[in-house]
Amino acid sequence: MAGSINEATLLGNLGKDPDVRKTQEGKEIVTLSVATSESWRDKSTGERKERVEWHRVVIFNDALAGIARDFLRKGSKVYLRGQLQSRKWVDQSGQEKYATEIILQGFNSVLVLLDPKREEASRPVSETGTSQSAGDNDDLDSIPF
Amino acid sequence: MAGSINEATLLGNLGKDPDVRKTQEGKEIVTLSVATSESWRDKSTGERKERVEWHRVVIFNDALAGIARDFLRKGSKVYLRGQLQSRKWVDQSGQEKYATEIILQGFNSVLVLLDPKREEASRPVSETGTSQSAGDNDDLDSIPF
Amino acid sequence: MAGSINEATLLGNLGKDPDVRKTQEGKEIVTLSVATSESWRDKSTGERKERVEWHRVVIFNDALAGIARDFLRKGSKVYLRGQLQSRKWVDQSGQEKYATEIILQGFNSVLVLLDPKREEASRPVSETGTSQSAGDNDDLDSIPF
Amino acid sequence: MAGSINEATLLGNLGKDPDVRKTQEGKEIVTLSVATSESWRDKSTGERKERVEWHRVVIFNDALAGIARDFLRKGSKVYLRGQLQSRKWVDQSGQEKYATEIILQGFNSVLVLLDPKREEASRPVSETGTSQSAGDNDDLDSIPF
DNA sequence: TTTT
DNA sequence: TTTT
C-alpha cells in the first residue's frame, strides 16, 4: 500500500528444526532454514544438474511463530511468503557482515504447512527441550539479532 | 517444477542507472539497484516511520537485459520477479563476504516497466557512456561479480 | 493460513472509472474493471497477436476502497492482489448466471497505484457525479451484486 | 513482459480425478477442479465459518499436462499458477454462459505436486481406464471447449 | 542442513 | 467434488 512491493515466496524443506529464541520482552522469534532446489539438464553435456539454495526465514508474527514452533521440524515441507530484509553488522573480529533474510512479520505474511497430517503433528511441543538445534549451521547461527 | 518455489517479487524504483557488463563471451549482464519502502505508524510514539530496503537484481535473460539497459534509468519504477540466490566470496583483504541477489534468468522471470511513456524511452542507449552511475550506493557497488 | 492459497494478481489498466456503491449499512464498495493484455507472435503466420482480458475487481476493504475511489480513474494503471470468488445467481429472465470476481477484502489484499503523480490525483472526488462510467463494458455492468 | 500481469495462484486439493481430453490434433488437455478454503471466526456470533471455493484449471502446457494426468488424483494437494481467462458461449438452450478459468499454458505456468511420495505415485496411469471421472460435476463438465 |  |  506504500507504493512498493517487497515479497519473497518459498516452497521448500526445512534443513533443521526451527530455532526458537525469546526477546528480553518474552516475545518468541522463530528462525527457519529452508532449502529450495532447481534442477535442469545441461545443454552442452546433457547431464542433470541441481542447485540448492538455502534461505534464512525469521518469523516475528506471533501466530505464525507458534505454528512454526509447534508443527515444523527438520525435513518439513512449507510454503511461505515474507519480505526481504538485509542486515549489516560487525562481527567479533571487527569484520563487516551482511545477511539477507525473509521476514514474516505483518499481515501480508503467509505460512502453510505441507506435511501430511500425522498424529504427532497435533501434539504440542513440550516446554522443555525440543527446540535446541543440533549446533550445526554455525554460520547462520552466529548472525546476531 | 522441481517441487520447490523460490521467487522474489519487487515493485520499486531504481536508485541509479542500470549497470551493464559483458562476459568474456560477449553476453550482456545488467544489474539493478532497486529500492522498496514501507511506512507505518509507530504504535507507541505515533510517529510516521519509513524503512527503505535496497535490492540487488541481476538480469541474465537476454531479452530482459536488453529492455532494462535501454529503458530503465535512475528513478525508474519497475515490477520484477526472479529467484533468490546467494553468493559467498573472499574479498581482497581475505575476508569472507556474502550477498543475496535476485536473479532474472529463466522462463519464470518477469520485468515490467512502469514509467509513463516518454519519447526518450524508446531511444537506445549510446554505446559509450550512460551507465556510469553517480557513485552513490557504494556498498552494493563493491560486491564483486 | 488455512492450508490453502487463493490469489489473483493483476497489473493492468482500468477500462472505466471505479464504480462506487453503498451497502444499506453505509459501507462503500468499489468495483473496478481492469484490463490485462498479452501479445505474442503467431508461430505459423508470423503475425503479431494480442489478447485482452477483462477482470472484475470488488474492493470491500475500507482503506483500499477509499484509495480506489479517490485516485483511480479510467485508464489508470494499477497493481492489485485479491482472492478469486465465484457467484451464481438467477437473472430476471430466470436464467442461471455465473461470475468470477477478484475480491479485495482481508489483510492479504494489495492495491498499488501506478499512475505518475499529478496534482489532481490528490483531490478527492466530489460527492455528486464522477462515478457514472461511459456505458462501455456493458456485460460486466449487468452483473448484479 | 507485455506491460501487464495476469496471474492466479492456488494451493488446494483436487475434488476429483483430472479430466483428460484430446484435441483433434491429438494434443492432450487436462482439466482440474481445485478447492481452496478459508476459515474465520465470525466477529458477532463467535462461531467458526468456512468458505470453500472451486476453481476450474485448464492445462495446455504439454509437460505439465502429462504430470497432472499421471500423478494427480482426487484429493491430491497441488500448488499452481496460471492466467485468468474468461470464456463466453451459448448453451443448447440458447442461453449465454460465462466461465472464468485458470489457464496453464506458457512459460510462466507453475505446477507443483504436494502429495507425499508413495510407491504408486511413480507408476504411470494405464492407458485404459483411470481418468473417467464419476460423472459428477455436471455443471463444469458441460462447459464446451 | 532438507527434499526429489 | 477436495482438504483441515
Side-chain angles (χ1 to χ4, degrees):
Chain A
M1 223 160 72
S4 66
I5 299 284
N6 167 8
E7 290 181 347
T9 304
L10 303 182
L11 174 45
N13 296 279
L14 269 69
K16 52 175 193 169
D17 284 353
D19 183 50
V20 183
R21 285 170 299 157
K22 265 199 171 130
T23 63
Q24 295 179 328
E25 297 81 27
K27 178 182 165 61
E28 274 191 356
I29 293 163
V30 176
T31 303
L32 309 178
S33 181
V34 176
T36 56
S37 70
E38 56 171 339
S39 62
W40 67 95
R41 194 165 293 281
D42 187 295
K43 293 161 217 158
S44 45
T45 70
E47 36 176 2
R48 194 107 211 104
K49 302 251 190 165
E50 184 183 38
R51 184 190 156 85
V52 174
E53 187 71 33
W54 287 97
H55 310 266
R56 184 174 158 89
V57 176
V58 185
I59 311 178
F60 289 93
N61 177 297
D62 289 332
L64 300 184
I67 291 171
R69 180 200 57 204
D70 290 347
F71 298 117
L72 291 178
R73 290 295 171 267
K74 179 176 182 172
S76 292
K77 190 179 281 296
V78 70
Y79 174 84
L80 62 88
R81 185 166 62 208
Q83 293 177 75
L84 290 171
Q85 209 163 289
S86 294
R87 290 186 297 122
K88 206 196 274 183
W89 74 98
V90 178
D91 74 1
Q92 301 94 318
S93 61
Q95 306 193 1
E96 188 167 85
K97 296 289 185 177
Y98 190 80
T100 300
E101 300 163 327
I102 299 173
I103 306 296
L104 273 65
Q105 187 154 28
F107 299 121
N108 258 331
S109 300
V110 173
L111 181 73
V112 179
L113 314 183
L114 296 173
D115 293 317
K117 282 291 167 299
R118 298 176 276 150
E119 302 319 309
E120 312 86 69
S122 52
R123 259 196 264 142
V125 173
S126 73
E127 286 307 302
T128 61
T130 312
S131 60
Q132 306 90 321
S133 57
D136 41 20
N137 209 351
D138 285 327
D139 270 343
L140 288 176
D141 280 334
S142 66
I143 296 177
F145 196 67
Chain B
M1 224 160 69
S4 66
I5 298 284
N6 167 7
E7 292 181 347
T9 304
L10 303 182
L11 173 46
N13 296 280
L14 270 68
K16 52 177 192 166
D17 284 352
D19 183 49
V20 183
R21 284 168 304 152
K22 264 199 172 130
T23 64
Q24 296 177 330
E25 298 82 28
K27 179 181 163 63
E28 274 190 0
I29 293 163
V30 176
T31 302
L32 310 178
S33 179
V34 177
T36 57
S37 70
E38 55 172 339
S39 63
W40 67 97
R41 193 165 295 282
D42 187 294
K43 293 160 218 159
S44 45
T45 69
E47 36 177 359
R48 195 108 211 105
K49 301 251 188 164
E50 185 183 37
R51 184 189 156 88
V52 175
E53 187 71 35
W54 288 95
H55 310 266
R56 183 172 161 90
V57 177
V58 185
I59 310 178
F60 289 91
N61 177 297
D62 288 335
L64 300 185
I67 291 171
R69 179 201 58 205
D70 290 347
F71 298 116
L72 290 178
R73 289 294 170 270
K74 180 177 181 172
S76 291
K77 190 179 281 293
V78 70
Y79 175 85
L80 62 88
R81 184 168 64 208
Q83 292 176 75
L84 290 171
Q85 209 163 287
S86 293
R87 292 186 298 121
K88 207 195 269 185
W89 73 96
V90 178
D91 75 1
Q92 300 95 317
S93 61
Q95 306 194 358
E96 188 168 85
K97 295 289 185 178
Y98 190 79
T100 299
E101 300 164 328
I102 299 173
I103 308 297
L104 274 65
Q105 188 154 30
F107 299 121
N108 258 330
S109 299
V110 172
L111 182 73
V112 178
L113 315 183
L114 296 172
D115 292 318
K117 286 283 167 309
R118 296 177 277 148
E119 302 320 309
E120 311 86 68
S122 53
R123 257 195 264 143
V125 172
S126 74
E127 286 308 300
T128 60
T130 313
S131 60
Q132 305 91 319
S133 58
D136 41 19
N137 214 343
D138 284 328
D139 272 343
L140 286 176
D141 277 335
S142 66
I143 296 178
F145 195 67
Chain C
M1 224 160 70
S4 67
I5 298 285
N6 167 7
E7 291 181 347
T9 304
L10 302 182
L11 173 46
N13 296 281
L14 269 68
K16 52 177 192 167
D17 284 353
D19 182 50
V20 183
R21 284 170 302 154
K22 264 198 173 131
T23 64
Q24 296 178 327
E25 297 80 31
K27 178 181 164 59
E28 273 191 357
I29 294 163
V30 176
T31 303
L32 310 178
S33 180
V34 176
T36 57
S37 69
E38 56 172 339
S39 62
W40 69 96
R41 194 166 294 280
D42 186 294
K43 293 162 217 158
S44 45
T45 68
E47 37 175 1
R48 194 106 211 104
K49 301 251 188 165
E50 184 183 38
R51 183 189 156 86
V52 174
E53 187 72 35
W54 287 96
H55 309 266
R56 184 173 159 90
V57 176
V58 185
I59 311 177
F60 289 92
N61 177 297
D62 289 334
L64 300 184
I67 292 170
R69 179 200 58 203
D70 290 346
F71 298 116
L72 291 178
R73 289 295 171 268
K74 180 175 182 174
S76 291
K77 191 178 282 293
V78 70
Y79 174 85
L80 62 88
R81 185 166 64 208
Q83 292 177 74
L84 290 171
Q85 208 162 289
S86 293
R87 290 185 299 120
K88 206 195 271 184
W89 73 96
V90 178
D91 75 1
Q92 301 95 318
S93 61
Q95 306 194 359
E96 189 167 85
K97 296 288 186 178
Y98 190 79
T100 300
E101 299 164 327
I102 299 173
I103 307 296
L104 274 66
Q105 187 155 28
F107 299 122
N108 258 331
S109 299
V110 173
L111 181 73
V112 178
L113 314 184
L114 296 173
D115 292 318
K117 286 285 170 303
R118 295 177 277 149
E119 301 319 308
E120 310 86 67
S122 53
R123 257 195 264 145
V125 172
S126 74
E127 286 307 303
T128 60
T130 311
S131 59
Q132 306 90 320
S133 56
D136 41 19
N137 214 344
D138 284 328
D139 272 342
L140 287 177
D141 278 334
S142 66
I143 296 177
F145 194 68
Chain D
M1 222 160 73
S4 66
I5 298 285
N6 168 8
E7 290 181 347
T9 304
L10 302 182
L11 174 46
N13 296 278
L14 269 69
K16 53 174 192 170
D17 284 353
D19 183 51
V20 183
R21 284 170 301 156
K22 263 197 172 131
T23 64
Q24 296 179 328
E25 297 82 29
K27 179 183 164 60
E28 273 191 359
I29 293 163
V30 176
T31 303
L32 310 178
S33 181
V34 177
T36 57
S37 70
E38 56 170 340
S39 63
W40 68 96
R41 195 166 294 282
D42 187 294
K43 291 161 218 157
S44 44
T45 69
E47 35 176 1
R48 194 109 213 102
K49 301 252 188 166
E50 184 183 39
R51 185 191 156 85
V52 174
E53 188 72 33
W54 287 97
H55 310 266
R56 185 174 159 89
V57 176
V58 185
I59 311 178
F60 289 92
N61 177 297
D62 289 333
L64 300 185
I67 292 170
R69 180 200 57 204
D70 290 346
F71 297 117
L72 290 178
R73 289 296 171 267
K74 180 175 180 170
S76 292
K77 191 178 281 295
V78 69
Y79 175 85
L80 62 87
R81 184 167 62 208
Q83 292 177 73
L84 290 171
Q85 209 163 290
S86 294
R87 290 187 299 121
K88 205 196 274 184
W89 73 96
V90 178
D91 75 2
Q92 299 96 317
S93 60
Q95 304 193 359
E96 188 167 86
K97 296 289 184 177
Y98 190 79
T100 300
E101 299 163 329
I102 299 173
I103 307 296
L104 274 65
Q105 188 155 26
F107 299 121
N108 257 330
S109 299
V110 173
L111 182 73
V112 179
L113 314 184
L114 296 174
D115 292 318
K117 283 289 167 298
R118 298 177 275 149
E119 302 319 309
E120 311 87 67
S122 53
R123 257 196 265 143
V125 172
S126 73
E127 288 306 302
T128 61
T130 312
S131 61
Q132 306 91 320
S133 56
D136 40 20
N137 210 350
D138 285 326
D139 270 343
L140 287 177
D141 279 334
S142 67
I143 296 178
F145 196 66

